């Protein structure tokens, strides 16, 4: 629970300091507030958190339910020990540290050497540099980013998305954060790559398998970075099986289940038919914000469409993937993608690996055409001087299954 909870807090929580003022508009005290906000459709999740932590209260704010902890004894005995032991990974950790510092300044105000007026000014100064007003983003030197599966699901339930691109019918798994925290996404990328076997890792770590994109800010908003995965073999054979071993707690789980259906249909090539495309778009239209009960266009997928989708998934695949990682449209006998690395056996008994035919050709000083030909016929590779430069070339399929000890 705790790892998932910290991941969710990374995306959906705030540490707030509110100044109380007297009749003269002078600061007379402070309220320290920890809060998590979720859509009201996830009210039961916040109730679950409240019951586990044994503190806090729930309030409704329009379409949002807010879990709030503001009692000083609960802040000190529950919230602070929790985030001291399980640190936040992004610059939200800085807001926590400031929150904690100001909290104990206020709690120990009677024993402080500072007069109350000066102490309160210091707390106000801390408050004015937190959250959206923060301008200093340097994390402590001893701070480390620690990604676990449960943490990842928690963060995903707040700042992650499963969706279908209707332009090319590709499925996407994405996570978003401010560009200031781009290193956090790089650590998640590293974590996901470590789910791969050594051959798949070689391919995935040197390509845009897990792509991180920077998006420029507009309208005064902070710049954001996006982690995006769309490679269908990785999604179906690695990502989805891994996420199935973890526990979702919010409505995001429904999106995950629909995403799984879309991914299977994409892997099978069902998006290549008009009927398949239409059904996939109908399913995607029922996901994410569209499934919220407060959405004016909210509608539940009808039973007829669900039945047709089930039949579509059970129907014969339109794409076959061979043992070498090449995907072919069966009716056209045409390859549409490949996920493999090239293993080169040399005459002296050594081997080397390459992630593309071009890099292999360059290393062996032959043409890319020669590499393709030798991969297909299994003959030794000869250079222009007719000298054998490699005994054998072999395709090694990538992204076929989870690493056993992930």
């Amino acid at each position: 629970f705790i790892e998932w909870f910290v991941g969710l807090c990374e995306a959906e929580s705030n540490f707030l300091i509110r100044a109380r003022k007297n009749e003269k508009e002078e600061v007379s005290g402070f309220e320290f507030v920890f809060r998590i906000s979720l859509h009201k459709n996830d009210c039961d999740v916040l109730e679950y958190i409240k019951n586990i932590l044994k503190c806090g209260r729930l309030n409704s704010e329009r379409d949002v339910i807010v879990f709030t902890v503001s009692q000083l004894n609960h802040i000190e005995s529950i919230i602070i020990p929790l985030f001291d032991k399980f640190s936040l990974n992004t610059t939200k950790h800085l807001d926590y540290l400031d929150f904690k510092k100001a909290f104990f300044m206020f709690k120990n105000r009677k024993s402080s050497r500072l007069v109350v007026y000066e102490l309160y000014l210091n707390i106000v100064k801390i408050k004015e540099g937190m959250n959206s007003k923060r301008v200093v983003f340097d994390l402590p030197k001893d701070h480390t980013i620690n990604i676990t599966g449960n943490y990842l699901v928690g963060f995903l339930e707040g700042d992650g998305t499963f969706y279908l691109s209707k332009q090319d019918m590709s499925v996407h798994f994405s996570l978003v954060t401010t560009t200031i925290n781009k290193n956090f996404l790089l650590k998640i990328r590293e974590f996901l790559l470590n789910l791969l076997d050594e051959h798949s890792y070689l391919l995935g770590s040197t390509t845009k398998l897990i792509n991180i994109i920077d998006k420029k800010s507009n309208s005064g908003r902070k710049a954001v970075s996006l982690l995006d995965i769309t490679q269908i073999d990785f999604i179906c054979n690695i990502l989805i099986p891994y996420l199935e071993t973890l526990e979702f707690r919010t409505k995001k789980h429904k999106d995950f289940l629909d995403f799984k259906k879309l991914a299977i249909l994409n892997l099978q090539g069902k998006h290549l038919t008009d009927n398949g495309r239409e059904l996939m778009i109908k399913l995607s239209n029922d996901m994410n914000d569209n499934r919220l009960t407060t959405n004016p266009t909210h509608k539940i997928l009808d039973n007829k469409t669900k039945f047709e989708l089930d039949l579509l998934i059970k129907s014969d695949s339109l794409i076959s993937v061979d043992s070498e990682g090449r995907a072919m449209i069966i009716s056209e006998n045409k390859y549409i993608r490949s996920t493999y690395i090239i293993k080169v056996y040399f005459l002296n008994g050594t081997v080397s690996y390459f992630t593309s035919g071009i890099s292999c050709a360059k290393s062996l000083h032959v043409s890319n055409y020669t590499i393709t030909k030798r991969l297909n016929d299994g003959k030794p590779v000869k250079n222009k001087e007719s000298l054998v430069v490699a005994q054998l070339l072999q395709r090694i399929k990538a992204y076929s299954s989870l690493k056993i000890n992930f």
Side-chain angles (χ1 to χ4, degrees):
F1 165 80
I2 294 298
E3 291 177 356
W4 169 85
F5 175 75
V6 174
L8 181 70
C9 289
E10 201 84 69
E12 302 292 356
S13 74
N14 292 101
F15 298 92
L16 304 173
I17 302 172
R18 293 171 178 161
R20 295 197 188 101
K21 294 185 178 182
N22 58 24
E23 296 172 353
K24 297 179 181 179
E25 287 297 303
E26 297 171 334
V27 176
S28 59
F30 294 92
E31 182 183 16
F32 293 84
V33 179
F34 168 73
R35 51 183 270 160
I36 303 172
S37 302
L38 295 178
H39 189 272
K40 69 178 187 179
N41 288 163
D42 279 323
C43 180
D44 57 333
V45 178
L46 292 180
E47 189 69 48
Y48 167 72
I49 290 171
K50 177 175 171 287
N51 291 336
I52 292 288
L53 296 182
K54 293 182 171 57
C55 68
R57 63 184 185 276
L58 301 185
N59 299 101
S60 177
E61 297 179 4
R62 295 186 179 180
D63 297 339
V64 172
I65 302 295
V66 182
F67 167 70
T68 303
V69 181
S70 58
Q71 289 188 30
L72 295 183
N73 63 319
H74 289 158
I75 295 288
E76 183 176 9
S77 64
I78 298 173
I79 301 303
I80 288 177
L82 191 156
F83 287 107
D84 273 351
K85 187 173 182 180
F86 301 93
S87 295
L88 292 155
N89 284 318
T90 70
T91 51
K92 186 163 287 187
H93 179 62
L94 297 175
D95 291 325
Y96 164 68
L97 293 179
D98 283 348
F99 177 86
K100 175 184 171 183
K101 179 180 179 180
F103 174 85
F104 284 113
M105 286 173 65
F106 180 70
K107 179 179 181 292
N108 301 324
R109 61 193 180 281
K110 292 181 181 179
S111 60
S112 173
R113 294 180 180 180
L114 296 174
V115 298
V116 172
Y117 174 75
E118 291 177 334
L119 187 139
Y120 282 8
L121 280 181
N122 288 341
I123 294 177
V124 169
K125 185 177 180 181
I126 292 172
K127 171 185 179 299
E128 292 301 313
M130 292 173 60
N131 300 311
S132 62
K133 296 180 181 178
R134 177 171 297 282
V135 293
V136 178
F137 297 94
D138 298 324
L139 287 159
K141 291 182 179 179
D142 61 349
H143 179 264
T144 57
I145 295 176
N146 181 35
I147 307 297
T148 67
N150 290 316
Y151 170 90
L152 180 62
V153 168
F155 182 75
L156 160 61
E157 298 209 72
D159 280 342
T161 310
F162 300 106
Y163 71 96
L164 173 76
S165 169
K166 294 170 187 175
Q167 290 183 325
D168 61 4
M169 299 302 288
S170 60
V171 293
H172 292 252
F173 165 80
S174 69
L175 300 170
V176 65
T177 189
T178 55
T179 299
I180 289 166
N181 289 302
K182 184 177 179 179
N183 191 48
F184 166 64
L185 292 183
L186 291 170
K187 288 292 184 180
I188 292 178
R189 178 180 184 269
E190 181 181 314
F191 177 83
L192 292 173
L193 285 172
N194 282 326
L195 299 176
L196 300 171
D197 61 66
E198 60 177 329
H199 297 136
S200 299
Y201 183 91
L202 178 62
L203 183 62
S205 62
T206 55
T207 61
K208 292 184 177 181
L209 170 69
I210 303 174
N211 199 18
I212 297 179
I213 309 156
D214 295 332
K215 293 197 172 184
K216 293 182 180 180
S217 59
N218 52 45
S219 303
R221 295 182 177 180
K222 291 181 180 179
V224 298
S225 293
L226 185 75
L227 181 149
D228 185 60
I229 302 175
T230 187
Q231 209 289 326
I232 193 61
D233 302 275
F234 176 85
I235 286 174
C236 287
N237 300 329
I238 309 295
L239 183 64
I240 288 175
Y242 179 64
L243 291 178
E244 285 180 325
T245 68
L246 304 169
E247 183 179 358
F248 286 78
R249 292 178 169 90
T250 73
K251 62 184 180 299
K252 189 74 70 178
H253 186 241
K254 294 180 179 179
D255 292 328
F256 171 65
L257 295 177
D258 286 346
F259 172 78
K260 180 181 176 182
K261 291 179 181 178
L262 291 171
I264 292 171
L265 289 168
N266 183 289
L267 184 72
Q268 295 175 340
K270 305 297 174 60
H271 61 291
L272 300 174
T273 67
D274 290 341
N275 179 54
R277 182 184 178 92
E278 181 183 346
L279 287 171
M280 288 174 71
I281 289 175
K282 279 186 178 180
L283 179 58
S284 72
N285 286 340
D286 195 42
M287 293 171 63
N288 301 311
D289 287 349
N290 290 333
R291 76 166 70 250
L292 300 178
T293 56
T294 54
N295 191 316
T297 61
H298 171 72
K299 55 185 178 182
I300 299 174
L301 206 64
D302 61 87
N303 289 330
K304 179 176 179 293
T305 303
K306 289 179 181 179
F307 179 73
E308 289 175 347
L309 278 165
D310 287 340
L311 284 180
L312 188 64
I313 290 175
K314 292 174 184 177
S315 65
D316 292 340
S317 178
L318 304 180
I319 291 176
S320 66
V321 181
D322 65 22
S323 60
E324 295 184 328
R326 295 177 295 176
M328 173 186 287
I329 300 176
I330 297 170
S331 62
E332 300 177 17
N333 201 33
K334 173 184 174 184
Y335 289 114
I336 57 168
R337 71 174 183 276
S338 60
T339 51
Y340 62 80
I341 63 170
I342 299 171
K343 186 176 184 179
V344 180
Y345 296 82
F346 293 103
L347 295 174
N348 62 3
T350 62
V351 297
S352 289
Y353 295 94
F354 298 90
T355 57
S356 70
I358 294 174
S359 61
C360 183
K362 186 176 180 180
S363 176
L364 300 181
H365 303 289
V366 298
S367 67
N368 191 34
Y369 171 77
T370 297
I371 296 299
T372 302
K373 197 171 182 182
R374 296 293 83 90
L375 280 168
N376 291 335
D377 63 24
K379 294 179 180 180
V381 181
K382 294 182 180 180
N383 61 17
K384 291 180 180 179
E385 288 75 35
S386 295
L387 297 174
V388 175
V389 292
Q391 186 67 41
L392 177 69
L393 303 184
Q394 182 183 12
R395 295 183 181 94
I396 306 293
K397 186 177 181 179
Y399 315 146
S400 58
S401 62
L402 267 173
K403 187 168 67 175
I404 295 175
N405 297 315
F406 57 81

